[in-house]
Amino acid sequence: MITEAYNPMIPNQLNIFLAVIRHGNFSSAARHLGVTSAAVSKAVAQLEKSLELRLFHRTTHSLTLTEDGHELHKRTGPLVEQLEDQIRRSKDKKKQPHGRLKVNLPDSFGRMVVLPLLPAFLEKYPDIELDLQFDDRIGDLVKEGADVGIGVMLNQDSRLIARDFYQLQPVLVASSGYIEKFGEPATPNELLHHNCIAYRSSTTGRKKTWDFRVKGELIQHEPQGNLTVNSLSAAIKAVEMGVGIAAVGIGHAQACIEQGCFRRVLRDYEADPIQVMIYYSSRNYLPAKTRVFIDHLMEHVHDKRTTDLDAIIHEL
């Protein structure tokens, strides 16, 4: 005969403790759990009291694990995650993919490449609510509570998996009017005599360099001119107005090139394509909503390969 409904050796507050570690602080964990920060703080304090261990070093501006906290997380974190995964797996067998899915993606790339793929996805999965964050700034996928990220930054976070998604072919373009007035550079060095429209990173505040292949060797050029922007659309508009030369993706400028209003510049020196990645949690089991979203993008993005875009934006 079973006399206990639960194992009293497993504290109820353990999951809250792990959520604080996963999200970095009490307030972020509280938002994820749908409770108040005070409730999270109280639960952690109760866990520390029941274990007779101090789990966090707390200051006004920081929260770090103690040695005992690290040990508890190391021993219990993977076990709890496996249990949560198994519960989700059981639920997913009975339900259609559903729930809110937060996706971080670069602004122009997201609008031109990813967004056109989504109406079919939403029609197929009406119970999934997409929350799209269009931002060229590099964000922390885990801390911001995003399920999926798209961009070209290197995967330096062991909690994330990076999967090849799309290739961008960078090109330089200028308007026909600009070239008629100022001539066309024949080598990358001749760009020093032209007005180059620079792109400034919203994350680092630095200008993006332009890459070229010269006799097989990759060289970088810092664009110099009297206009710097943090928007690909603004750079394209400036090219249209004859302000100067800009670096874009070939797909973004293709229509203007075909119409003769844009000219490709330094075509013989173009750099290699840039790989765009999909980033997501490295947990063994993905929620169904995340899995079907990634599968949909991977399946349908091939129809958009000719819409190469935005070599300026190198970040999430």
Side-chain angles (χ1 to χ4, degrees), residues 118-301:
L118 300 185
F121 175 81
L122 293 171
E123 182 177 357
K124 185 175 181 180
Y125 300 104
D127 294 330
I128 294 179
E129 175 194 349
L130 290 181
D131 185 348
L132 306 180
Q133 306 294 313
F134 295 88
D135 194 344
D136 295 332
R137 175 187 57 86
I138 291 180
D140 188 312
L141 203 65
V142 175
K143 284 187 177 181
E144 294 178 2
D147 300 285
V148 179
I150 296 177
V152 299
M153 70 176 184
L154 295 177
N155 180 14
Q156 299 175 339
D157 191 331
S158 61
R159 295 170 293 181
L160 300 178
I161 289 176
R163 184 174 177 183
D164 289 350
F165 174 57
Y166 196 92
Q167 286 191 330
L168 305 175
Q169 178 56 56
V171 297
L172 294 186
V173 293
S175 69
S176 299
Y178 176 89
I179 291 176
E180 290 173 5
K181 186 174 182 179
F182 298 102
E184 181 176 350
T187 67
N189 285 336
E190 292 187 14
L191 288 172
L192 296 173
H193 307 295
H194 287 268
N195 199 37
C196 298
I197 302 166
Y199 173 84
R200 188 180 300 281
S201 167
S202 298
T203 303
T204 66
R206 295 193 296 267
K207 291 180 181 180
K208 288 295 183 181
T209 58
W210 295 353
D211 294 342
F212 298 99
R213 283 283 176 187
V214 178
K215 296 181 180 180
E217 182 181 354
L218 186 67
I219 65 170
Q220 292 183 323
H221 170 83
E222 182 171 336
Q224 301 294 329
N226 59 8
L227 179 62
T228 300
V229 298
N230 69 345
S231 163
L232 176 64
S233 299
I236 289 289
K237 188 64 177 177
V239 172
E240 291 178 359
M241 295 186 297
V243 173
I245 301 172
V248 298
I250 188 172
H252 198 105
Q254 191 66 44
C256 292
I257 293 172
E258 292 174 353
Q259 294 168 11
C261 52
F262 277 14
R263 296 261 297 273
R264 279 172 81 168
V265 176
L266 298 177
R267 185 168 183 168
D268 293 337
Y269 296 90
E270 289 173 358
D272 301 330
I274 298 169
Q275 186 66 55
V276 179
M277 315 293 289
I278 291 183
Y279 296 89
Y280 53 95
S281 170
S282 61
R283 290 178 299 178
N284 292 330
Y285 173 68
L286 282 176
K289 61 182 181 180
T290 306
R291 175 173 46 79
V292 296
F293 179 75
I294 294 172
D295 289 346
H296 178 85
L297 293 187
M298 295 302 299
E299 178 183 355
H300 295 284
V301 72

